[in-house]
Each structure stands twice: as C-alpha cells, then as structure tokens.
Amino acid sequence: MKTLIQSIRLTIVLTVLLCIIYPVVISFAGKFSKGKGNGETITLNGKIVGYANEGQKFDKPQYFWSRPSAVGYNAAGSAGSNKGPSNPDYLKEVNSRIDTLLKYHPYLKRSDIPADMVTASGSGLDPDISPAGAQIQVKRVAQFRKLDEQKVAVLVKEHTEKPLFGPEKVNVLKLNVALDELK
Amino acid sequence: MNPELSGILVSFAITLLIGIPLGKYLAKMFAGEKVWTDFMKPIENGIYKLSGISPNQPMDWKQFLKAMMVINSLWLVYGFFVLMYQDKLPLNPDGNPGMTPDLAFNTIISFVANCNLQHYSGETGATYLIQHFIFMFLQFTSAATGIACAVAVFKALRDKTTADVGNFWVYFVKSITRLLLPLSVVVALILTFNGTPASYAGKDKFISLQGDTVNVSRGPAAQFIAIKHLGTNGGGWFGANSAHPLENPNYVTNITEVVAQMIVPMAMILAFGYFIRRKKLGWVIFGVMAVGMFMLMIPTISSELGGNPAIAKMGVSQATGAMEGKEVRIGPMATAYWSTLTTIVSTGSVNGMHDSTMPLTGLWQLLGMMINSFFGGCGVGILNYLIYLIIAVFISGLMVGRTPEFMGHKVEAREVKIAALITLLSPFLILAGTAISSYVFNNYGSANWAVKPSSWLNNPGYHGFSEMLYENTSANANNGSGFEGLGDNNIFWNVITGLEILIGRFLPIIGPVAIAGLLAKKKFVPESAGTLKIDTVTFGIMTFAVIMVLNALSYFPALALGPIAEYFSMLK
Amino acid sequence: MSNRSNKLFEPALVQTALKESFIKLNPKTMMRNPVMFTVEIGTAVMLYVTVYSFTHAGQGSFAYNCWIFAILLLTLLFANFAEAIAEARGKAQADSLRKTREDTPANVVLEDGSIVTRSSNQLLKGDVFICETGDTIPTDGEIIEGLATIDESAITGESAPVIREAGGDKSSVTGGTKVLSDRIKVVVTTQPGESFLDKMIALVEGAARQKTPNEIALTILLASFTLVFIIVCVTLKPFADYANTPITIAALISLFVCLIPTTIGGLLSAIGIAGMDRALRANVITKSGKAVETAGDIDVLLLDKTGTITIGNRKATRFYPAEGVSEDELVKACVLASLADETPEGKSIIELAQQGNTRISSTAPDGSEFIKFTAETRASGINTPDGKRIRKGAFDAIRNLTINAGNQFDTAIEDRVKAISSNGGTPLVVSQNEKVIGVIELQDIIKPGIAERFERLRKMGIKTVMVTGDNPLTAKFIADKAGVDDFIAEARPEDKMKYIKHEQAAGKLVAMMGDGTNDAPALAQADVGVAMNSGTQAAKEAGNMVDLDNDPTKLIEIVEIGKQLLITRGTLTTFSIANDVAKYFAIVPALFIASIPALQSINIMHLHSPESAILSAVIFNAIIIPMLIPLALKGVEYKPIGASALLRRNLLIYGIGGVIAPFIGIKLIDLLIAYFI
C-alpha cells in the first residue's frame, strides 16, 4: 500500500516535470526556429502553398511530378504502401506506373526511369525525388510550358541538393514554385 | 566517398563518440560517485520528498521488483482508462475519438512495456493529451524502468555478497533526471530547429499549388520524438513514424535520431563493465554485440542496395537501390542501417517501411528482434544478454572442468531454471503466437472482427506469413516496429500482442534481476587459474555461438517458411 | 584386484546391459530423464501411426513408418544401453570387491563370553568377534583388544603386511583382509549392507543414485531445450497449413527427436556413473556422486608432507661431531644409541654409519639399558654398563638436558642446528653423559616427479598446502623444494581445521586426506575429505571418500577424475546441440520441398529424397549415442592448460566438430540409403 501511494505521488510529480515543464520549454524554444515550431511553410504570391518538408500531389503535366504515394499525399494520414517485394499485385501496379510514365514521356527508355518514380515512399508524403527523377521530366515540362528545355534543366540543377552526407535530392514543391515564378 | 556511405559511417562514429563516455558517466553516476550532473540533486531530492520516498533505503531483489511492478501496474490501469475516454478529455484539437477497450488494452501495455507497437495511427488515433501525458510520459518512465532494473543487476554483481540491490526509486528517478531528460532536451532542440513542429497548434489547412485542399497534422512532436529514440521506445507521433517528413525532416535529423536510439543501449553495456569494475568484460560484451550488429547490418545494406529483383526485371533503373517504402532524402543505405539498429535495440521506430524491404532484410530484422540483445533496449538489452551469458557460463564452465560460476558465484539449479525459463519464453511467445495467428487465418477467415482474418494480410504467400511472424516477434521483443501492412487493429491482434508484450517485457526483467539477486546472496568464490574467465575473447565467442545457435534452432523453420522461402522463390 | 579389466565392453557386461536396456524402457524409469522420456512418447505415437498407416493413407507408407519407429526405438535402447553398461561396469568393479568378503565364518563373542560361529552377513553393528592367525576378517570393524599383522592385499593390492592394534589410529580392519599372525578382538562398526562398499554399489546401481546439483541444473537446461523444440515442432503444423504443405506425423516426430539433445540426454547418467566408476578403478570409494563433482572444483589441497611429498621418512645423511670429538667417537655413540631404535630414522642412522669407515658393532654390550622415546623427554638412547649415557633427540630437549646438568651448550652446535634446519634437514643432537658430542643431520627425500605434479595442479588453479610437524624453517625449505604454494608447520590437527575454515571463509573449496581420529573433524569440514582405508572408523565416517590404497597422492587423481566428469558433460552437451544445425539442413528442406520447391536451395547436403533425408538424420541421431559411449565412459581428457585455452580447445573439437560431423555423417548415411532405395 505504501508502495502504491509512493507510486501515485511519483507519477504526479513526474507528470508535471515530463509532460508540462519539458514540452512547454521546448515549445517555447521552437518559436525561435524557422517555422516558429509549426513546420516551415512555403508561400507563393503571399499565399501558403505548402510545407517545405511535406510532399504534395503533383500529377498535372505542367509540374514536376512527385513520387507515387500510398495515401495520395494526405498530410493528415501518412503511410507507406506496405507492399511486399514479391507481391504480384504490387508488381503489376509498378508495371502500370512505368507504363504511365512512358506514356507521358514517350522519349524515355525503361532503363532511364529511376526506381523512386515508380515506387511509393514510406510516408506517402515524400517531398523529394531523385535528380534523375527530375531530369526525365524536364522535356515534358518544358514542352508543356513551352519553355526552353535548357532553362528548365538549369532550374532542376539549381534545385538539386547535394548534401555532405546522404543522397542527392530535388524538393518537388520548391522546384515547382520556382517554375511557376519563372513566368 | 559515396555520401550515403559516409553518412552512416559518420552516424556510427558519433554514436561511439557519445556512447563510450556516456557509459563511463552512467557507471559513476549510478554508483553515486561525483559527476558533473550533481547539480540535479536538489531537484531529485524535491521529487523524493514530494513522493514520500526515502532514497537511502536499501532494497533486496524482491522489494526492488515489487516497487517496479507496483508503479508499472499503476500506469497500466490508469492509462487504460484515459485512452478509452480520450475524446472526453481536453487537448483534442483534431477531435479524435476514444479508443476501443481492446485497442486501449494493447496500446497501454505497449507503451508501459517500452514496446510502442501502435495499432492506432498517430494523426487520427491519439489526442495531444494522450500523446504527451500518457505516451511521452511512459516513454520516459518505461525506459527508466529498464535502466533501473539493469543497474540493480550491476550492483548485485559488483558486490561480493549482498542482499541489497539498491533502491528502485533512486535508480529510476536518476535515469530520468540525469540521463533521459537532459538528452531529450538536446535532441528535441535539434529536431525543432531542423523543422520538426514543437508547438501546440492543431491541424492546418492549405490549398496546394495544384489546387488540392490539404489538411496537415502537426503538434508538439519534437519533444516526443526525442524521448521516443533516446528511450528506445519507437512510437511515432505520426503514423509513418520517422519516415514522415515532419518527424524526420532531413539527413541531420536522421543522424540525430539514429544516434539517439543507440547511445543509451551502447552506454549501458560499457557502464556495466565500469560499474562492476571489470572494464574488460564490458568491452568484450560490447565486442560481441557489435559483431552481431555488423553481421545483421552488412547483409541488410547489401540486400537493400541491390534493389528488388522483380522490379529489376521490369527494366527500370535501381541505381539508388530498393525504393518502395523509402524516402528520397534518407536513401536506402541509411534506411537499411536504421532498420538494423531499430530491430536490435528494440526501438522499433522506422524511417522506411519494413514490410516493403527485401526478403533477406526482413530475415535480418526478424533475427535482430529474436535475439534482442545486440545492445538491446534501454537497460533490458544487458538483462537479456545476461540470460545468454548464464547459459554460456554454464556450458563452458562444465567444459573447463568446474561447476559453473559467474562473477564469483556458483550458478546452480535455481539460476539455471530461471535462465532456462526466460530462454524458453521468446520461442514460446513468438512461435505460439504465430501459430495461433496462422491457425485463425487458415480456419476462421471470416470471423466478425474489425479486421477480418481473411483480409488482415496485405501481402499473399510467404510474405504474408512473414507479416504475422514479424508482428508476434516485434511484440515479444518489445520492439514495436511492424510489417505494417498487417491489419492489426482488431480484437485478435490487440489481445494477443498485448499479452505477448506484457509477458515478453516483465518476465525477462524479473528473471535476470532475480538471478542476480540470488547470486549476490551466495558465498563469493575468488577466481583461480582454473576459473573460467568471462572477460576473454574466447568466452565472447562462446556467448556469441550460444546466442546464434539458440536462436537459429528456435526459429529456423519459421524463418524458412517466411523470408527464406520468399527470397529463394524471387530468385527464380 | 588383478582381475580388474580395462576393456570397455566385456561380453558378460554387454549381455547384462543389453537386457537392462529393455527393462529400462519402463516409463516410470524413463521419467527420470525428461529428454529421453519425450523420445519414448514420440516412439509410442510412432507405433500408433505405423499401425494406422497399415490400413489408412495420408501418413506415409507403412514401411517408411516402420523404419522410423524402429530407429526411434533403437535410439531409446542405445541411451538405455549407455546407462546400463556404465552401471554394469561399476557393479562389476564393486562386486569383485564384495566377493572378497562374502560369507566368511565369524567367531562371535557373546555377552556371556562364549563363542559361536556365524556367517559374516549375519553380523550386526556392535557384535564382537575374534580373529586368529589365518582367519579372514569377516567384516569392517575396529580392534578393541590385541595386535595383529594383517595382509590387506585383497583390498589394496599391496603385498607387505601391516600391523593393526587396538587403540590409536591403526585400529580399523577391513572385511576380506587376512590375519597373518596373532589374535585380535574386533567390534563390528557397520550394519550388514551398509558398509562403504555397499553404499557405493547402491550408488552405481541407480536405486540410491541421486542426481548431483550440477546434474540437476544440466537436466533443467536440457529439459528447457526439449521444450523449445516441442514448441518448434508443434507450431510447425499450423505454419505448414498456411503454406499448404502437409506434414506427416512421422516427419514431425523425426524432426523433434533429432532436435532435442538426445545425445547428451542419453549419455548423461552414464557419464555420472562412469565418474564414480573411474574413482573406484583408482581404488577410491566415493560416498556420493556429488563428492566426485566437487573434487573437480577443489581450490586448495591439503597434503601431508610425509608419504605425499617426501618418501616415507627422513634419512640420516651426515654426522657433525662437536669440537673436540672425533667423528669416529660420534658415530660409535650414535650407533649405540640407535641399536634399539626401530624407527626408520634410527635404522637410517645405522645404515649411514655402515657406509662410513668406522667399524661398528651390531649389538649393544650386555646389560645395556635402552631408553625409549617419550613425548616428555623427546629423546631416546642407551645407558651402557660402562656408564655411558648416550641420548639423541630434538635440539631443545638435549639442550635442556645438558644445561640442567650444569654443562655448557656449545654455540657452534647451535649454529649447526640452524644451518641444518634451514636446509630442510632435521637436526638430531647427540649427547653423551649430558655433554653434546655432535649432531646428526636427517634429510627428507622429496619424491621424484612430485614437483611436476604440483606444477600441473597450479595450472589447474589448485593451491597446494603442505602439512607437516616440522619446524617452520625445515618446512619452508621442503615446501620451496617441492614447489608447494603454502605450508603449515608444526601442525596440530586443529591447525588443519583452522586452515580449512579460513580458506572456506574466503570461498575456496578444500580437499584433504587423513587417517587418524583426530583428523575426523577436519575431514568432515573439508569439501572433499578422503579417508585412508587404514585409518580409523571415525575418519572414514567423516570423509566423503575412502582410499583403499592409502596413497596420499591419490587426491590429485581424484581432482582430475572430477574435472573429467564435468568436462565430459559440458563437451557432450555442446556436441549434442551443435549437431542440430546439420539436422535442420537435412530435415527442414525435406519437409517443405514438395510444396515450396524454392527451398531446395537450403538442401545444401543434396540429400537424395525427403524420405532419405529424414531417415538419415534420425539414423545419425541414433547411432551417435553408442558411438559416444566409450567417450562417456572414459571421460574427455583433462588438460591443465588454463581455463580459456581448455575452453577454446573443447569448443573447437566438440563445438565446431559438432557442427561439421553430422553434415558428413548424414550425407554418408543418405548415400547408403539411396543405394538401397
């Protein structure tokens, strides 16, 4: 009984320390970060068009496309596809994504397509694509927007991040915002 | 060098740079020697005073375990009801509903047990109140429970003959104030300043560039994610866990999180050596664990970088490796690295979906959880290792012609009985659980549950079997990761994994503490030239062999039907 | 004991053991061994399946099931045989000892003094009997009256007769030995059927054999492994259902029997019995299996100097005359003083004198009075009719003698005495008419090869302690020379006790050997107390082993026997478990290959067919038991190379070897089977 009372009292004391003081202090410190502790947003023409770190759906021909998403880029319900590597349905789906890509990018060979453009990300909110994934779309975007292909290619290059550690990547939202800003 | 490879090498280097001195510090701190964090003493004394605890009271192993069990039971009961009625409590800006009783049962056990298997989704299943006052609270306390119990074992094995294993409350509180909380502040700040939300603002809404209306889940996540890793808990703020771009925004946060989940388990091993004044033993154990880790990690990385052979046949380029379920900013190598660590140390957080990894990767992930003591969870890793150690000591003691002894105490029938029981427990829970799941799937496919058994597998065939095997293994190992395709939010999975987590958590804690307590009470036998030295490479190899053989023998048939069969059938 | 055989499998014993193997199939007996008991259950189920498959389909062919059943039964019989042969061997040993004491007539003295003849096995504890020249002593007892020379060769193999007399430490007699001269009255000290030998036989026969703590612990561990494999095999059924793979009961039971540690399970009790048997072969009777096990753990060995470290007794090596005394004079005096001295020291003085140039007489002058050694005077000697009073004795005894007589004690003699002591010798000071005339140096002869044995012990991690009545200086010299780690000088029985307690308080296990009644407390206190068979009944009761040879170096052998016992257990456990790896690779693909052809890739041995793979594994599992029986009985060799090196060695041989051997064995058996199919 004594132990139980000690336990209850300790639980209360630690709740104050760990669930109130600690998070509030961090939350306060977060106000000084880039996104003020709410997550960093991106604006175009004064309007918030998305979160820098969260991917969004891009499947219209004038934009660089994002990766396939198992949740259709629902930022309130992240998830991966959880398809196993040998799942026949899944493999069929991948195959049809390849076909779709080839349809919209008739100039591509299969071997030009990087795997990330035909596989769903872990979160379903991947903000990035591989540089190869962006490069294969340059021609389509340029053609659709009637832009100089070279200009779009330069834009992609500018948006290709090459960190010291970790893979190279292109943030699709930032690239597309820059694309929209070109006009 | 390849920036992905250098990325994981840097991660590992940082882990060592922090883990090693942290181990020395923990040994000193728990032994009550002077350390630089002594400025926390007034706060601790305040906590003791407010809680009515006398910190100097010695405890024998039974009293120690009683205190541990009482407070853990309290959390179980109290948490269960709060989860069920979360919708009626404040701090619910997104209007999430209350949990069903079976989900609440599973969830509360899962968090009390440092498992963090999540059958709910963070965005829609738990309110901010729950996330902080129950989940985050338990992420601190469950880790501290494991650490406290490990320190009790340290103390029992250090003193020649003693009944006193130390005061549970003191080890517990100090684990928080001197280790978990300060480190959490550091990690949370790194995350916040790299883009992880930390404010109490609720869901946001915006219109995307393409014109879609998008709802965005946010919330005070950084605080939670910090302890989620430091305490080897693994429960994500968001459903996608650390694959989520807000939970793990960039490569820096990825390194931070993967380092955070390794440093305490690693430090605890070395702390063991320093605490019992057998530095070399600590390093030998460390060596065995590190070898085990690399043995699982290297093939994992290689199988992920190799890509999916079925997709390779389609002719697309897999230059970056297998990408299904992975994030571009993290890449397959860091995901593979993480997946090994998260399964060996029982964190269970993921930065890529395990269900979509290659068959052999799944094999190594499963094996990591089955072994569950290559570093292992906070405190419990060394406790699990102790069981293997007792068995290794017993067999090799015989092999050198002495009745076995461990740290100067004879290992006799009682200790072997406990060790044998604990060894037995994992295969029992994992295999029996998987057998029942398979049986239900085979025979009661249409049972009227929230998720019908016939539809709970997300993948057919061998991979489907792996999903069930993984779920049971993860529950028993208190890991919490999953082959998440499994439809696990129904009464069957909630109850069965709930029980597995509960038993798989507490018996493997009670067992080693009891063994250490029993040993410590025995007469101390000094070492002689004929005594088997356990801080040698030879004995390290012996322990490693015991670990590998025991696990291989227990799980080979199950693994053969899951990942191994899938692997070979994909080769053709 | 000339009829003792070292052959492992004597036809007669094998026959008994074969019969026993079947008798031991009784489930009640099997239950003592959980591992083999589960095999028995599996065999019973297989019998049912075999019968069932005769009329029904779906569980494999009748012939195949028959084969599996037969092999499982064979596995059980092999395991039983291992135990039975170990028992038979032990029993044969003990029987040959017991034969010596069967049905000897005893002349029992009744209370009224009359004498009746009874058979020896009717003698009760407390009965008194009389033995005369030529009689065989009917049972163990203690002399209460008289003295006799006794031929103990029947027990010890030593042909020289020994003297036994009432009172003191040489009073016990053993049944089966023969009185060569004189007449003794003996009181029976054991109830019929309760002599050490009887106890030992009971231990070996199994009825009274209790598992030792270590055996219990190992059994628990093996039982838990068995449980793990029960789980593995039971759960395999739903797994296989999921994969749409029908598994026959025969295959499941085969897998189970192959996986559980049957090798060590079948040999475990044989190993224990063999340990006691090996002790018996070394002429040591152990009162419990635990004592043998404990012997392997011994940290400290208390050894008496005399007889263990040094050969018998001291020998005179040199005469040192005092100033003004000629060597001739001294030698003559010494010889005179020693003529009546029957002690080995006394004899050696005469021997030494004979080697010199002095002419000595072999008889004392008529009318001489011999002075016997007493504890008070601590000197002996002679008073000759011509008035010479010659004494030889300990340094301080003679010094007191001379000083009391008012004579000076030469300091040169004192220096000589010290010099001799510090060289490990024992000085014997000689006086004539209360004047010192010289010193005799007595030296201990250290047994050849004993230093190497101590070195071996040191490598085992055992500390040797020499116990001696010598003064510290002498003791230290001998201790250094023989290479013991410590010594107790001027030891009294209670000093031994104190030393043992001191070491035990530090957590050490102590072994000692003793014979006298005053050794009894120490023998009881020691963790392993070996009483000499020639010792008193009290000593024999107090110890937990009895050495029939009265050989003090036996302790070293006993320690090795204990270690061997533990090592054999450990290595065979390792071997047994390591075997499973290969068995998995044989059976698991065999189980699933039909429905999951991809798993052919793990059939790394390329076994002929699923049936042959399973059969090969089960056959290998069965025949490995009899193949290892010789090893179990002889024990795995102990090498004092340090614990880590030993572990490495055994891990390599029995661990790695245990992984590889079955791969080869199963493949060979499979090739053979494939040839017949």
Side-chain angles (χ1 to χ4, degrees), chain B residues 22-43:
Chain B
L22 188 64
K24 288 185 196 169
Y25 158 80
L26 288 181
K28 274 186 162 183
M29 185 269 283
F30 282 117
E33 289 167 37
K34 250 204 179 101
V35 281
W36 63 273
T37 50
D38 282 343
F39 66 84
M40 293 295 279
K41 214 165 219 162
I43 299 177

Side-chain angles (χ1 to χ4, degrees), chain B residues 361-421:
Chain B
T361 305
L363 173 69
W364 308 124
Q365 289 162 351
L366 281 163
L367 211 51
M369 292 189 290
M370 286 160 174
I371 293 166
N372 206 18
S373 63
F374 288 153
F375 296 107
C378 272
V380 292
I382 186 85
L383 295 182
N384 289 340
Y385 192 85
L386 191 72
I387 296 294
Y388 291 120
L389 213 51
I390 292 282
I391 290 173
V393 155
F394 188 82
I395 295 175
S396 41
L398 287 179
M399 278 207 279
V400 302
R402 280 177 76 95
T403 57
E405 53 203 36
F406 180 60
M407 307 260 180
H409 303 284
K410 289 272 175 223
V411 177
E412 288 164 308
R414 212 161 154 199
E415 293 79 48
V416 171
K417 206 184 282 178
I418 300 173
L421 178 79

Side-chain angles (χ1 to χ4, degrees), chain C residues 450-498:
Chain C
I450 198 80
E452 287 76 48
R453 296 199 94 165
F454 290 147
E455 186 52 38
R456 194 174 157 90
L457 283 170
R458 195 163 304 116
K459 281 193 187 141
M460 290 183 197
I462 296 170
K463 177 176 152 189
T464 44
V465 181
M466 180 180 84
V467 181
T468 171
D470 292 342
N471 64 58
L473 265 180
T474 311
K476 185 172 183 344
F477 181 84
I478 296 173
D480 288 347
K481 210 164 154 196
V484 296
D485 301 304
D486 196 4
F487 61 87
I488 314 174
E490 288 168 356
R492 293 158 300 161
E494 57 266 37
D495 292 332
K496 277 195 202 176
M497 185 75 177
K498 227 188 279 167

Side-chain angles (χ1 to χ4, degrees), chain B residues 100-401:
Chain B
T100 59
D102 55 296
L103 180 60
F105 170 80
N106 183 282
T107 307
I108 191 63
I109 289 176
S110 177
F111 276 87
V112 166
N114 195 257
C115 175
N116 295 200
L117 192 71
Q118 294 164 294
H119 287 178
Y120 66 93
S121 182
E123 291 94 334
T124 52
T127 67
Y128 290 176
L129 179 98
I130 296 300
Q131 297 258 41
H132 273 181
F133 283 72
I134 301 294
F135 296 164
M136 192 169 76
F137 175 82
L138 290 172
Q139 287 183 334
F140 275 103
T141 57
S142 63
T145 299
I147 295 170
C149 291
V151 177
V153 169
F154 295 0
K155 163 119 183 12
L157 295 178
R158 181 192 66 188
D159 296 353
K160 286 188 175 172
T161 300
T162 183
D164 175 23
V165 298
N167 187 301
F168 172 76
W169 308 120
V170 172
Y171 294 160
F172 174 77
V173 169
K174 279 173 112 182
S175 304
I176 293 173
T177 54
R178 306 283 188 101
L179 173 68
L180 298 173
L181 186 57
L183 283 176
S184 292
V185 170
V186 176
V187 172
L189 288 176
I190 296 177
L191 294 178
T192 310
F193 282 88
N194 275 284
T196 302
S199 78
Y200 288 86
K203 261 190 198 134
D204 192 16
K205 196 192 254 185
F206 66 88
I207 296 176
S208 77
L209 220 50
Q210 276 201 153
D212 305 321
T213 305
V214 179
N215 288 306
V216 183
S217 283
R218 298 182 299 184
Q223 299 91 323
F224 183 95
I225 297 162
I227 185 61
K228 146 190 161 186
H229 285 114
L230 284 165
T232 63
N233 293 284
W237 181 269
F238 301 107
N241 209 301
S242 284
H244 195 287
L246 289 184
E247 194 145 342
N248 188 5
N250 58 34
Y251 209 80
V252 173
T253 58
N254 193 61
I255 291 181
T256 308
E257 291 177 25
V258 82
V259 166
Q261 63 182 297
M262 275 306 281
I263 50 175
V264 177
M266 204 175 249
M268 283 302 282
I269 306 305
L270 297 176
F272 177 55
Y274 289 111
F275 192 98
I276 63 168
R277 302 188 192 106
R278 286 169 190 249
K279 206 167 86 180
K280 200 180 158 205
L281 177 64
W283 280 104
V284 168
I285 297 178
F286 184 92
V288 170
M289 293 180 166
V291 168
M293 176 185 82
F294 286 120
M295 266 186 58
L296 296 171
M297 182 189 289
I298 293 168
T300 300
I301 291 176
S302 124
S303 90
E304 286 307 307
L305 289 184
N308 184 340
I311 291 183
K313 277 181 208 149
M314 297 175 195
V316 298
S317 151
Q318 293 193 88
T320 55
M323 286 306 291
E324 182 69 35
K326 294 191 184 61
E327 301 286 299
V328 168
R329 68 188 177 287
I330 299 165
M333 197 185 278
T335 308
Y337 175 80
W338 179 306
S339 92
T340 304
L341 298 189
T342 199
T343 43
I344 61 172
V345 302
S346 103
T347 313
S349 66
V350 295
N351 66 352
M353 295 303 132
H354 285 188
D355 211 348
S356 300
T357 50
M358 295 306 107
L360 285 189
T361 305
L363 173 69
W364 308 124
Q365 289 162 351
L366 281 163
L367 211 51
M369 292 189 290
M370 286 160 174
I371 293 166
N372 206 18
S373 63
F374 288 153
F375 296 107
C378 272
V380 292
I382 186 85
L383 295 182
N384 289 340
Y385 192 85
L386 191 72
I387 296 294
Y388 291 120
L389 213 51
I390 292 282
I391 290 173
V393 155
F394 188 82
I395 295 175
S396 41
L398 287 179
M399 278 207 279
V400 302

Side-chain angles (χ1 to χ4, degrees), chain C residues 271 274 278 564-565 568 629-638 654:
Chain C
I271 295 170
R278 278 199 299 279
Q564 258 192 331
L565 171 72
T568 311
I629 289 178
L631 188 67
L633 295 186
K634 279 196 258 167
V636 173
E637 200 189 347
Y638 172 73
Y654 298 94

Side-chain angles (χ1 to χ4, degrees), chain B residues 398-399 403 461 526 530 538 553, chain C residues 242 297 460 506 567 584 648 650:
Chain B
L398 287 179
M399 278 207 279
T403 57
T538 307
L553 295 185
Chain C
Y242 174 89
D297 278 351
M460 290 183 197
I567 292 176
Y584 259 138
R648 255 197 308 277
N650 287 334

Side-chain angles (χ1 to χ4, degrees), chain B residues 43-60:
Chain B
I43 299 177
E44 286 154 12
N45 287 336
I47 295 174
Y48 300 142
K49 211 166 185 185
L50 288 171
S51 317
I53 288 165
S54 43
N56 297 320
Q57 186 198 355
M59 289 183 175
D60 66 22

